[in-house]
């Protein structure tokens, strides 16, 4: 594998052609190429200069998902926390080859409390260490986060990998393996429902937090003729958010472009967001996702 460092980005590629690009800003994966094509959606107006979280790829949500709750340690943080809008450091790479030619390259990124802006330090006054690993292999992309509480106090956190999967046409895809799962519908006043479809079509704004899923059961994005396009398994992340902004919300986001690009993306977001993980002083937690494409 080759790894190149270009100012604010790290790029890795495998001899078989797969590649991944990560911005130090937010440790945001902005590109994952496999089977000769781009697998992730990146808005044409995504800001890549650190002025705003990147619109697309895999933004990292920590320590809070969504708008922070009132009267909480995260209350004065921005939506989705500080991880995706802080500059991380590249810790290095490692590659593995089990001999059967399934080479993999792992890129590690770090963020800790004293690297945060003064505002963020003040907003969430806990010593912590994050190591985010991005692993590219022939048959997939995996991202995992290790959280260490380096403070003397316990802290609560949420975490989510806000993955924008690229699709040719939103009307042609279905999201599978959600049947009978409970979800909070953020488009319907956060009311709770049970999923009835085992192949969910996306034909309007969708913003649902599916809860308590078996992380080893893949969430599949399939074509309308039931070919698997993406398969997402998780570790220690038991919620999955399915989001598509649809027409109006797409138009309402200045960095979402072109306006009709909602047709070319579906967010399948692995996370632990429907409750709070409590990390005791000195303890660590790890969770992640593994995405396979075009099985
Ligand atoms: O993951 C879904 C969601 O929480 C939506 O409600 C929408 O807000 C989306 O994230 C994007 O949030 P952002 O802060 O990146 O504009």
């Amino acid at each position: 594998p080759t790894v190149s460092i270009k100012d604010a980005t790290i790029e890795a590629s495998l001899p078989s052609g797969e590649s991944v690009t990560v911005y130090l800003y937010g440790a945001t994966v902005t590109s994952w190429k496999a089977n000769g094509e781009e697998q992730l959606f990146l808005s044409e107006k995504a800001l890549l200069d650190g002025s705003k979280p990147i619109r697309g790829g895999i933004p990292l949500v920590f320590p809070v998902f969504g708008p922070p709750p009132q009267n909480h340690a995260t209350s004065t943080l921005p939506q989705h926390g500080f991880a995706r809008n802080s500059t991380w450091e590249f810790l290095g790479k490692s590659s593995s080859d089990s001999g059967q030619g399934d080479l993999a390259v792992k890129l590690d990124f770090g963020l800790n409390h004293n690297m945060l802006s003064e505002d963020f330090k003040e907003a969430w006054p806990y010593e912590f260490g994050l190591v985010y690993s991005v692993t590219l292999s022939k048959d997939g992309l995996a991202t995992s986060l290790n959280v260490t509480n380096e403070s003397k106090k316990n802290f609560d956190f949420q975490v989510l990998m806000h993955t924008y999967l690229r699709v040719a046409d939103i009307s042609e895809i279905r999201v599978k393996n959600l049947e009978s799962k409970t979800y909070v519908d953020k488009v319907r006043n956060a009311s709770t429902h049970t999923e009835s479809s085992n192949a969910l079509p996306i034909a309007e704004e969708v913003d649902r937090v599916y809860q308590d899923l078996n992380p080893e059961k893949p969430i599949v994005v399939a074509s309308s003729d039931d070919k698997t396009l993406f398969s997402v398994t998780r570790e220690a992340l038991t919620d999955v958010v399915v989001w598509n902004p649809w027409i109006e919300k797409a138009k309402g986001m200045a960095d979402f472009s072109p306006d009709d690009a909602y047709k070319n993306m579906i967010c399948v977001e692995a996370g632990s967001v429907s409750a709070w993980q409590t990390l005791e002083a000195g303890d660590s937690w790890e969770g992640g996702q593994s995405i396979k494409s075009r099985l």
Side-chain angles (χ1 to χ4, degrees):
T2 55
V3 176
S4 62
I5 302 176
K6 283 182 214 139
D7 48 352
T9 65
I10 309 290
E11 236 177 86
S13 59
L14 295 178
S16 40
E18 295 77 17
S19 68
V20 68
T21 302
V22 188
Y23 270 71
L24 290 179
Y25 176 61
T28 313
V29 175
T30 53
S31 168
W32 163 35
K33 290 193 176 83
N35 310 301
E37 54 188 67
E38 179 57 62
Q39 304 300 318
L40 301 177
F41 169 82
L42 185 66
S43 164
E44 287 174 7
K45 286 192 182 158
L47 293 162
L48 301 170
D49 61 358
S51 59
K52 172 175 173 28
I54 294 173
R55 179 68 61 198
I58 309 177
L60 188 54
V61 171
F62 178 89
V64 59
F65 172 70
Q70 300 295 319
N71 309 316
H72 190 270
T74 59
S75 295
T76 59
L77 286 175
Q79 167 152 295
H80 294 331
F82 54 69
R84 65 175 186 165
N85 45 0
S86 295
T87 299
W88 293 55
E89 57 185 348
F90 178 51
L91 301 177
K93 69 163 176 86
S94 58
S95 46
S96 61
D97 178 357
S98 71
Q100 280 78 29
D102 51 1
L103 212 49
V105 57
K106 178 164 81 81
L107 306 173
D108 287 338
F109 300 87
L111 181 71
N112 56 48
H113 188 258
N114 54 39
M115 291 164 65
L116 297 183
S117 68
E118 290 313 309
D119 290 357
F120 287 156
K121 276 184 192 164
E122 207 177 300
W124 201 69
Y126 298 96
E127 298 289 319
F128 69 91
L130 300 181
V131 176
Y132 183 55
S133 300
V134 178
T135 305
L136 174 71
S137 64
K138 222 170 128 31
D139 66 353
L141 184 74
T143 62
S144 73
L145 182 70
N146 187 300
V147 184
T148 299
N149 180 346
E150 293 168 356
S151 80
K152 301 257 180 298
K153 305 170 283 183
N154 299 356
F155 61 63
D156 288 351
F157 71 93
Q158 296 173 331
V159 60
L160 173 130
M161 296 165 185
H162 201 292
T163 311
Y164 288 74
L165 298 171
R166 174 183 293 273
V167 297
D169 180 344
I170 191 70
S171 67
E172 292 296 311
I173 63 108
R174 306 286 182 272
V175 184
K176 298 177 64 178
N177 294 346
L178 293 168
E179 188 182 13
S180 80
K181 298 303 169 197
T182 300
Y183 66 89
V184 171
D185 191 335
K186 291 166 64 178
V187 175
R188 286 184 278 173
N189 298 321
S191 49
T192 298
H193 303 265
T194 301
E195 181 54 65
S196 55
S197 165
N198 68 347
L200 178 69
I202 307 290
E204 60 190 345
E205 181 188 356
V206 169
D207 192 351
R208 302 178 179 185
V209 183
Y210 289 88
Q211 304 179 334
D212 300 331
L213 308 181
N214 171 359
E216 287 162 17
K217 183 170 181 189
I219 300 300
V220 168
V221 176
S223 61
S224 40
D225 56 352
D226 210 22
K227 287 198 181 59
T228 295
L229 302 176
F230 295 100
S231 172
V232 185
T233 51
R234 292 83 62 207
E235 274 187 37
L237 298 175
T238 56
D239 302 317
V240 170
V241 176
V242 176
W243 177 57
N244 186 291
W246 215 248
I247 302 168
E248 291 318 314
K249 291 280 171 59
K251 278 188 194 145
M253 290 182 279
D255 61 349
F256 191 97
S257 177
D259 280 349
D260 68 352
Y262 68 90
K263 295 176 183 166
N264 303 116
M265 48 72 68
I266 179 72
C267 278
V268 175
E269 310 163 16
S272 174
V273 298
S274 47
W276 293 89
Q277 298 271 352
T278 298
L279 199 55
E280 307 212 340
D283 277 6
S284 288
W285 173 92
E286 177 136 10
Q289 68 174 342
S290 173
I291 314 169
K292 298 207 181 327
S293 158
R294 299 260 183 296
L295 293 190

